Amino acid sequence: MHTQSDIIAYIEQSLRLNWERLALTDFQGQSFQYRDVARKIAKLHLLFEHAGVRRGDRIALCGRNSAQWAIVALASLTYGAVIVPILHDFKPDNVHHLVCHCEARLFFVDAGTWENLDHDNMPRLEGALLISDYSLLFARNKRLEHARDTLNRLFGDKYPERFTPDDVHFSTEAKPDEVALINYTSGSTGLSKGVMITYGNLWSNIQYTVDGLNFLVPGDGMVCMLPLAHMFGFSVELLHPFVKGCHIHFLTRTPSPKVIMEAFAQVRPKLIVSVPLIIEKIVKTRVFPLLDKPLMKVLLHIPLVDDKLLARIKTRIEETFGGRLQELIIGGASLSKDVEAFLRRIGFPYTVGYGMTECGPLISYAPWDEQRAGSCGRAVSRMEVRVDSPDPANVPGVLWVKGANVMKGYFNNNNATASVFDKDGWMNTGDIVTIDPDGYIYIRGRDKSMILGPSGQNIYPEEIEQQLNNMPYVAESLVVENDGKLIALIHPDYDAASLQGVSSSKLEPIMQDNIEKLNHELPGYSQIASYKIYQEEFEKTPKRSIKRYIYQH
């Protein structure tokens, strides 16, 4: 049994035990065995050491999911540096801001992202390196330049003989409450908060997956679809399978259903971790049209045929996922009711979990055969939950959590930290839930109105609204989700328009122009698909905040 900080011991042990196995593969690209990963980590440790990087220094990382991204992250973690993953689809201004805010000394970045950045906007950065081959993009630190130029020699001097499993020894004695990673919850410069995840938080999350998902064994394949710059992807799709000796395949492009299907057919995973949108797309486009055919509808009402037919449909879906699936874990948002009802009806091994960045990310989960419809499981080990409600089973209230998964706080932001913790160390999740007598959690609404993007990105509508409200003739706005698309509801500033001689009919093209300009500023996953003009102002609470729930579809 590993102790609280021993996420590092887990990584070390996996490298040694799985030396000859395949570890990381870019789908339809290069592959690395565990031995290759160990060598690269050793090289990066030498680079950090000779560049003067100390424990606790921040190393930022911004790029698409890839094997090399994972290696940089594992090297930073095992060195004792604090890794700061940044979503690669953030706009340059956001990336500049986050690199500066976390006070990163080094920055690993992919070529596509780097060409839009300007190192003058990151004055404290000592150097940037390309994720794909660790070549130096620029340096302000002579020691870093020298270390990069002589890296192969430094490695040869330190390991004159062959590099063996015995050479894998990470001296980092990390304490459980020491910060291992800073994960920014959003991309808008004004409101982004850096969640400080400790070694203890990571260990507790990984220990839970080791204990609970025990059907994965060394050599099993895993398809990584979620962004590694998010805690869900980082913990459950990278660290968890890595410490088990699995072979992780990264979809290096944005995962379209076609690419995902190809990967499932090739890798044949036992475990799939996904956001609802991907699963809903597969079921709605591949299965529901079949069920809607007249003959199928008749057959589904004949008891014995019904069972046989459902069994065949289940087999067909399982083949779509590669044919070896033991569990599909859906996280990040609730599943659409019709898809969930259908999956339950055919006995498909799916389950819905729940978490948040601030818990690294796990809060609740239940294995598929214990899962209840509409629920997201029970509190995970080492976590306590409570609801601010006189009757938690029937009257929804805000969920508070406490335990080994809960973050240390927000980096350099004491006010934000104080606003979510109470004096006894309980943290306000901002989610409205009920909890049944057996401890199953049902999410009833998001206090924070967060929207989940197509690949698991967190979209905070208030931030988009803030930008839209600053545009010509916009009095107020709401961004809501409808059918997986973002819709802007706009109440124009008619008074300002009439004062400047702008007629109502001219407001339409102005709003269209506003949306185009806004989309130019936003990452791809949070683009506004369409807009709707509201003649009246939105309904407000006594505190003058908009009653958002009235307008959500």
Side-chain angles (χ1 to χ4, degrees), residues 169-338:
H169 178 65
F170 306 132
S171 55
T172 312
E173 285 299 319
K175 296 181 180 68
D177 69 341
E178 220 173 294
V179 178
L181 182 145
I182 295 174
N183 202 214
Y184 282 90
T185 56
S186 77
S188 160
T189 46
L191 297 167
S192 45
K193 298 194 290 277
V195 175
M196 295 187 285
I197 297 292
T198 66
Y199 284 92
N201 296 153
L202 284 180
W203 170 85
S204 180
N205 272 280
I206 300 313
Q207 187 63 49
Y208 186 77
T209 60
V210 167
D211 296 338
L213 302 169
N214 52 14
F215 52 83
L216 279 192
V217 297
D220 279 346
M222 180 99 179
V223 178
C224 176
M225 293 188 282
L226 301 173
L228 286 172
H230 266 177
M231 287 314 302
F232 194 22
F234 187 77
S235 295
V236 186
E237 287 193 311
L238 171 60
L239 287 184
H240 149 243
F242 190 87
V243 305
K244 287 182 175 173
C246 297
H247 179 191
I248 307 164
H249 300 254
F250 300 98
L251 301 180
T252 52
R253 296 186 302 285
T254 304
S256 67
K258 184 176 174 290
V259 171
I260 291 168
M261 293 303 143
E262 284 173 23
F264 288 160
Q266 189 182 312
V267 178
R268 305 186 66 225
K270 286 184 191 170
L271 173 70
I272 292 172
V273 182
S274 174
V275 290
L277 198 74
I278 291 171
I279 303 310
E280 286 167 6
K281 246 187 201 159
I282 292 167
V283 174
K284 283 177 179 170
T285 56
R286 304 202 167 210
V287 184
F288 283 1
L290 289 175
L291 303 183
D292 271 344
K293 292 184 175 158
L295 177 63
M296 200 63 116
K297 285 184 167 168
V298 172
L299 292 174
L300 283 171
H301 286 98
I302 306 170
L304 283 172
V305 179
D306 170 12
D307 289 350
K308 283 198 172 124
L309 202 55
L310 289 175
R312 274 179 55 196
I313 292 168
K314 180 186 176 187
T315 305
R316 180 124 173 233
I317 299 183
E318 284 176 342
E319 281 163 8
T320 307
F321 289 115
R324 290 179 70 211
L325 185 69
Q326 293 199 23
E327 184 163 275
L328 164 67
I329 301 179
I330 296 166
S334 54
L335 198 53
S336 89
K337 285 197 165 44
D338 49 348

Side-chain angles (χ1 to χ4, degrees), residues 278-521:
I278 291 171
I279 303 310
E280 286 167 6
K281 246 187 201 159
I282 292 167
V283 174
K284 283 177 179 170
T285 56
R286 304 202 167 210
V287 184
F288 283 1
L290 289 175
L291 303 183
D292 271 344
K293 292 184 175 158
L295 177 63
M296 200 63 116
K297 285 184 167 168
V298 172
L299 292 174
L300 283 171
H301 286 98
I302 306 170
L304 283 172
V305 179
D306 170 12
D307 289 350
K308 283 198 172 124
L309 202 55
L310 289 175
R312 274 179 55 196
I313 292 168
K314 180 186 176 187
T315 305
R316 180 124 173 233
I317 299 183
E318 284 176 342
E319 281 163 8
T320 307
F321 289 115
R324 290 179 70 211
L325 185 69
Q326 293 199 23
E327 184 163 275
L328 164 67
I329 301 179
I330 296 166
S334 54
L335 198 53
S336 89
K337 285 197 165 44
D338 49 348
V339 171
E340 175 156 26
F342 170 73
L343 292 177
R344 286 188 81 79
R345 189 174 171 195
I346 62 170
F348 195 77
Y350 83 97
T351 186
V352 177
Y354 160 62
M356 60 193 297
T357 305
E358 284 85 345
C359 293
L362 300 181
I363 293 174
S364 67
Y365 161 87
W368 74 271
D369 50 356
E370 295 174 22
Q371 179 66 334
R372 294 184 181 174
S375 156
C376 52
R378 301 175 297 251
V380 299
S381 308
R382 297 171 292 281
M383 285 288 278
E384 295 175 74
V385 294
R386 69 173 168 83
V387 184
D388 262 358
S389 161
D391 177 7
N394 300 302
V395 180
V398 173
L399 180 73
W400 291 73
V401 295
K402 186 180 186 180
N405 293 10
V406 179
M407 66 165 182
K408 191 168 187 165
Y410 296 111
F411 183 70
N412 277 356
N413 194 339
N414 293 338
N415 290 347
T417 303
S419 72
V420 295
F421 282 102
D422 73 6
K423 61 180 188 340
D424 300 316
W426 287 88
M427 188 183 76
N428 183 341
T429 65
D431 286 318
I432 308 290
V433 308
T434 52
I435 299 186
D436 73 17
D438 298 323
Y440 282 83
I441 298 172
Y442 298 80
I443 295 180
R444 302 301 179 195
R446 290 205 175 264
D447 208 16
K448 298 180 299 199
S449 64
M450 187 196 91
I451 296 168
L452 193 78
S455 303
Q457 309 96 332
N458 295 350
I459 298 168
Y460 295 86
E462 294 94 337
E463 298 174 4
I464 303 174
E465 290 153 16
Q466 213 176 23
Q467 286 173 266
L468 186 51
N469 294 347
N470 287 329
M471 294 183 140
Y473 306 113
V474 177
E476 55 183 6
S477 65
L478 266 183
V479 171
V480 297
E481 185 204 16
N482 188 11
D483 236 5
K485 293 189 166 60
L486 295 184
I487 318 291
L489 313 179
I490 302 170
H491 170 54
D493 193 339
Y494 291 110
D495 295 343
S498 69
L499 275 173
Q500 291 175 31
V502 177
S503 67
S504 293
S505 61
K506 285 195 182 138
L507 281 173
E508 189 84 22
I510 291 172
M511 293 305 152
Q512 182 63 49
D513 190 39
N514 284 343
I515 295 294
E516 280 169 22
K517 284 185 177 138
L518 177 65
N519 280 340
H520 194 66
E521 299 290 315

